[in-house]
mmCIF file of all heavy atoms in Angstrom:
data_model
loop_
_atom_site.group_PDB
_atom_site.id
_atom_site.type_symbol
_atom_site.label_atom_id
_atom_site.label_comp_id
_atom_site.label_asym_id
_atom_site.label_seq_id
_atom_site.Cartn_x
_atom_site.Cartn_y
_atom_site.Cartn_z
ATOM 1 N N ALA P 1 114.636 120.051 76.856
ATOM 2 C CA ALA P 1 115.114 120.338 78.213
ATOM 3 C C ALA P 1 113.898 120.716 79.052
ATOM 4 O O ALA P 1 113.115 121.587 78.672
ATOM 5 C CB ALA P 1 116.125 121.472 78.187
ATOM 6 N N PHE P 2 113.731 120.028 80.162
ATOM 7 C CA PHE P 2 112.584 120.291 81.023
ATOM 8 C C PHE P 2 112.919 121.430 81.988
ATOM 9 O O PHE P 2 114.033 121.472 82.523
ATOM 10 C CB PHE P 2 112.190 119.042 81.811
ATOM 11 C CG PHE P 2 111.665 117.932 80.949
ATOM 12 C CD1 PHE P 2 112.320 116.724 80.883
ATOM 13 C CD2 PHE P 2 110.511 118.097 80.195
ATOM 14 C CE1 PHE P 2 111.841 115.695 80.081
ATOM 15 C CE2 PHE P 2 110.027 117.080 79.392
ATOM 16 C CZ PHE P 2 110.695 115.876 79.335
ATOM 17 N N PRO P 3 111.963 122.326 82.215
ATOM 18 C CA PRO P 3 112.215 123.415 83.166
ATOM 19 C C PRO P 3 112.370 122.866 84.588
ATOM 20 O O PRO P 3 111.810 121.824 84.932
ATOM 21 C CB PRO P 3 110.977 124.314 83.046
ATOM 22 C CG PRO P 3 109.951 123.517 82.335
ATOM 23 C CD PRO P 3 110.644 122.406 81.606
ATOM 24 N N ASP P 4 113.122 123.582 85.406
ATOM 25 C CA ASP P 4 113.415 123.132 86.772
ATOM 26 C C ASP P 4 112.160 122.890 87.602
ATOM 27 O O ASP P 4 112.151 122.005 88.454
ATOM 28 C CB ASP P 4 114.311 124.144 87.488
ATOM 29 C CG ASP P 4 115.746 124.082 86.994
ATOM 30 O OD1 ASP P 4 116.141 123.055 86.409
ATOM 31 O OD2 ASP P 4 116.477 125.069 87.207
ATOM 32 N N GLN P 5 111.094 123.642 87.381
ATOM 33 C CA GLN P 5 109.889 123.464 88.207
ATOM 34 C C GLN P 5 109.254 122.087 88.006
ATOM 35 O O GLN P 5 108.498 121.629 88.853
ATOM 36 C CB GLN P 5 108.863 124.584 88.008
ATOM 37 C CG GLN P 5 108.299 124.681 86.615
ATOM 38 C CD GLN P 5 109.002 125.702 85.752
ATOM 39 O OE1 GLN P 5 110.196 125.916 85.890
ATOM 40 N NE2 GLN P 5 108.272 126.326 84.852
ATOM 41 N N LEU P 6 109.579 121.397 86.921
ATOM 42 C CA LEU P 6 109.045 120.043 86.737
ATOM 43 C C LEU P 6 109.658 119.059 87.729
ATOM 44 O O LEU P 6 109.040 118.045 88.051
ATOM 45 C CB LEU P 6 109.262 119.551 85.311
ATOM 46 C CG LEU P 6 108.367 120.166 84.238
ATOM 47 C CD1 LEU P 6 108.543 119.425 82.925
ATOM 48 C CD2 LEU P 6 106.922 120.188 84.642
ATOM 49 N N ARG P 7 110.841 119.360 88.237
ATOM 50 C CA ARG P 7 111.451 118.480 89.245
ATOM 51 C C ARG P 7 110.562 118.393 90.480
ATOM 52 O O ARG P 7 110.310 117.313 91.006
ATOM 53 C CB ARG P 7 112.832 118.996 89.651
ATOM 54 C CG ARG P 7 113.883 118.802 88.584
ATOM 55 C CD ARG P 7 115.185 119.406 88.989
ATOM 56 N NE ARG P 7 115.874 118.540 89.945
ATOM 57 C CZ ARG P 7 117.148 118.661 90.235
ATOM 58 N NH1 ARG P 7 117.882 119.609 89.678
ATOM 59 N NH2 ARG P 7 117.710 117.839 91.098
ATOM 60 N N LYS P 8 110.090 119.547 90.936
ATOM 61 C CA LYS P 8 109.233 119.583 92.125
ATOM 62 C C LYS P 8 107.920 118.856 91.856
ATOM 63 O O LYS P 8 107.438 118.078 92.683
ATOM 64 C CB LYS P 8 108.972 121.027 92.533
ATOM 65 C CG LYS P 8 108.122 121.172 93.775
ATOM 66 C CD LYS P 8 107.978 122.650 94.145
ATOM 67 C CE LYS P 8 107.249 122.836 95.447
ATOM 68 N NZ LYS P 8 105.825 122.658 95.372
ATOM 69 N N LEU P 9 107.317 119.117 90.699
ATOM 70 C CA LEU P 9 106.062 118.445 90.350
ATOM 71 C C LEU P 9 106.254 116.931 90.274
ATOM 72 O O LEU P 9 105.416 116.168 90.759
ATOM 73 C CB LEU P 9 105.510 118.976 89.032
ATOM 74 C CG LEU P 9 104.995 120.404 89.020
ATOM 75 C CD1 LEU P 9 104.578 120.803 87.606
ATOM 76 C CD2 LEU P 9 103.840 120.579 89.996
ATOM 77 N N ALA P 10 107.349 116.500 89.658
ATOM 78 C CA ALA P 10 107.609 115.065 89.542
ATOM 79 C C ALA P 10 107.805 114.446 90.923
ATOM 80 O O ALA P 10 107.277 113.360 91.203
ATOM 81 C CB ALA P 10 108.844 114.831 88.664
ATOM 82 N N HIS P 11 108.511 115.121 91.795
ATOM 83 C CA HIS P 11 108.724 114.617 93.160
ATOM 84 C C HIS P 11 107.392 114.506 93.891
ATOM 85 O O HIS P 11 107.112 113.498 94.552
ATOM 86 C CB HIS P 11 109.688 115.546 93.905
ATOM 87 C CG HIS P 11 110.111 115.007 95.226
ATOM 88 N ND1 HIS P 11 109.376 115.197 96.373
ATOM 89 C CD2 HIS P 11 111.186 114.267 95.571
ATOM 90 C CE1 HIS P 11 109.988 114.606 97.378
ATOM 91 N NE2 HIS P 11 111.090 114.029 96.920
ATOM 92 N N GLU P 12 106.548 115.524 93.788
ATOM 93 C CA GLU P 12 105.237 115.498 94.443
ATOM 94 C C GLU P 12 104.352 114.384 93.894
ATOM 95 O O GLU P 12 103.652 113.703 94.654
ATOM 96 C CB GLU P 12 104.530 116.839 94.283
ATOM 97 C CG GLU P 12 105.120 117.954 95.105
ATOM 98 C CD GLU P 12 104.377 119.261 94.883
ATOM 99 O OE1 GLU P 12 103.137 119.248 94.691
ATOM 100 O OE2 GLU P 12 105.041 120.306 94.909
ATOM 101 N N ALA P 13 104.364 114.207 92.588
ATOM 102 C CA ALA P 13 103.544 113.153 91.979
ATOM 103 C C ALA P 13 104.003 111.775 92.460
ATOM 104 O O ALA P 13 103.175 110.923 92.805
ATOM 105 C CB ALA P 13 103.608 113.239 90.456
ATOM 106 N N LEU P 14 105.305 111.560 92.521
ATOM 107 C CA LEU P 14 105.812 110.266 92.987
ATOM 108 C C LEU P 14 105.492 110.037 94.461
ATOM 109 O O LEU P 14 105.170 108.914 94.859
ATOM 110 C CB LEU P 14 107.320 110.174 92.760
ATOM 111 C CG LEU P 14 107.773 110.087 91.306
ATOM 112 C CD1 LEU P 14 109.286 110.104 91.228
ATOM 113 C CD2 LEU P 14 107.203 108.858 90.621
ATOM 114 N N ALA P 15 105.566 111.085 95.260
ATOM 115 C CA ALA P 15 105.204 110.952 96.676
ATOM 116 C C ALA P 15 103.743 110.554 96.814
ATOM 117 O O ALA P 15 103.385 109.697 97.625
ATOM 118 C CB ALA P 15 105.482 112.258 97.416
ATOM 119 N N ARG P 16 102.898 111.157 96.002
ATOM 120 C CA ARG P 16 101.470 110.836 96.025
ATOM 121 C C ARG P 16 101.239 109.383 95.611
ATOM 122 O O ARG P 16 100.474 108.648 96.230
ATOM 123 C CB ARG P 16 100.728 111.794 95.083
ATOM 124 C CG ARG P 16 99.270 111.516 94.904
ATOM 125 C CD ARG P 16 98.449 112.082 96.061
ATOM 126 N NE ARG P 16 97.138 111.484 96.128
ATOM 127 C CZ ARG P 16 96.131 111.747 95.322
ATOM 128 N NH1 ARG P 16 96.265 112.621 94.356
ATOM 129 N NH2 ARG P 16 94.978 111.132 95.483
ATOM 130 N N ILE P 17 101.903 108.954 94.573
ATOM 131 C CA ILE P 17 101.746 107.587 94.070
ATOM 132 C C ILE P 17 102.235 106.573 95.099
ATOM 133 O O ILE P 17 101.580 105.554 95.342
ATOM 134 C CB ILE P 17 102.506 107.418 92.736
ATOM 135 C CG1 ILE P 17 101.838 108.251 91.641
ATOM 136 C CG2 ILE P 17 102.594 105.957 92.325
ATOM 137 C CD1 ILE P 17 102.695 108.454 90.408
ATOM 138 N N ALA P 18 103.377 106.852 95.708
ATOM 139 C CA ALA P 18 103.988 105.896 96.636
ATOM 140 C C ALA P 18 103.157 105.675 97.889
ATOM 141 O O ALA P 18 103.223 104.611 98.496
ATOM 142 C CB ALA P 18 105.386 106.366 97.021
ATOM 143 N N THR P 19 102.367 106.664 98.265
ATOM 144 C CA THR P 19 101.641 106.573 99.536
ATOM 145 C C THR P 19 100.133 106.447 99.385
ATOM 146 O O THR P 19 99.441 106.272 100.388
ATOM 147 C CB THR P 19 101.938 107.808 100.404
ATOM 148 O OG1 THR P 19 101.520 108.991 99.696
ATOM 149 C CG2 THR P 19 103.424 107.896 100.727
ATOM 150 N N ASP P 20 99.626 106.517 98.184
ATOM 151 C CA ASP P 20 98.179 106.511 97.993
ATOM 152 C C ASP P 20 97.630 105.084 97.962
ATOM 153 O O ASP P 20 98.063 104.275 97.142
ATOM 154 C CB ASP P 20 97.822 107.221 96.689
ATOM 155 C CG ASP P 20 96.354 107.533 96.607
ATOM 156 O OD1 ASP P 20 95.532 106.581 96.629
ATOM 157 O OD2 ASP P 20 96.005 108.714 96.528
ATOM 158 N N PRO P 21 96.674 104.762 98.831
ATOM 159 C CA PRO P 21 96.123 103.404 98.843
ATOM 160 C C PRO P 21 95.335 103.067 97.582
ATOM 161 O O PRO P 21 95.108 101.894 97.294
ATOM 162 C CB PRO P 21 95.215 103.388 100.080
ATOM 163 C CG PRO P 21 94.909 104.813 100.360
ATOM 164 C CD PRO P 21 96.073 105.613 99.849
ATOM 165 N N CYS P 22 94.951 104.087 96.813
ATOM 166 C CA CYS P 22 94.235 103.846 95.551
ATOM 167 C C CYS P 22 95.197 103.758 94.368
ATOM 168 O O CYS P 22 94.767 103.507 93.251
ATOM 169 C CB CYS P 22 93.231 104.973 95.293
ATOM 170 S SG CYS P 22 91.953 105.094 96.541
ATOM 171 N N GLY P 23 96.469 103.988 94.602
ATOM 172 C CA GLY P 23 97.449 103.968 93.527
ATOM 173 C C GLY P 23 97.881 102.557 93.185
ATOM 174 O O GLY P 23 97.355 101.574 93.710
ATOM 175 N N PRO P 24 98.881 102.430 92.314
ATOM 176 C CA PRO P 24 99.310 101.102 91.859
ATOM 177 C C PRO P 24 100.144 100.327 92.870
ATOM 178 O O PRO P 24 100.332 99.129 92.704
ATOM 179 C CB PRO P 24 100.125 101.404 90.607
ATOM 180 C CG PRO P 24 100.518 102.822 90.713
ATOM 181 C CD PRO P 24 99.494 103.507 91.561
ATOM 182 N N ALA P 25 100.639 100.949 93.931
ATOM 183 C CA ALA P 25 101.528 100.255 94.878
ATOM 184 C C ALA P 25 100.942 98.959 95.419
ATOM 185 O O ALA P 25 101.626 97.944 95.453
ATOM 186 C CB ALA P 25 101.926 101.191 96.017
ATOM 187 N N PRO P 26 99.671 98.933 95.873
ATOM 188 C CA PRO P 26 99.157 97.682 96.427
ATOM 189 C C PRO P 26 98.775 96.628 95.376
ATOM 190 O O PRO P 26 98.394 95.527 95.730
ATOM 191 C CB PRO P 26 97.912 98.101 97.205
ATOM 192 C CG PRO P 26 97.660 99.519 96.908
ATOM 193 C CD PRO P 26 98.786 100.037 96.072
ATOM 194 N N ASN P 27 98.898 96.943 94.095
ATOM 195 C CA ASN P 27 98.446 96.039 93.043
ATOM 196 C C ASN P 27 99.446 94.959 92.652
ATOM 197 O O ASN P 27 99.125 94.072 91.878
ATOM 198 C CB ASN P 27 98.067 96.832 91.782
ATOM 199 C CG ASN P 27 96.861 97.693 92.010
ATOM 200 O OD1 ASN P 27 96.044 97.432 92.885
ATOM 201 N ND2 ASN P 27 96.750 98.760 91.233
#
């Protein structure tokens, strides 16, 4: 069972990935 604070971290990480020009999105 993952602690609730991982939800926020996961959301932040996905936001970073979705908008980062160096991330996998443009690939």
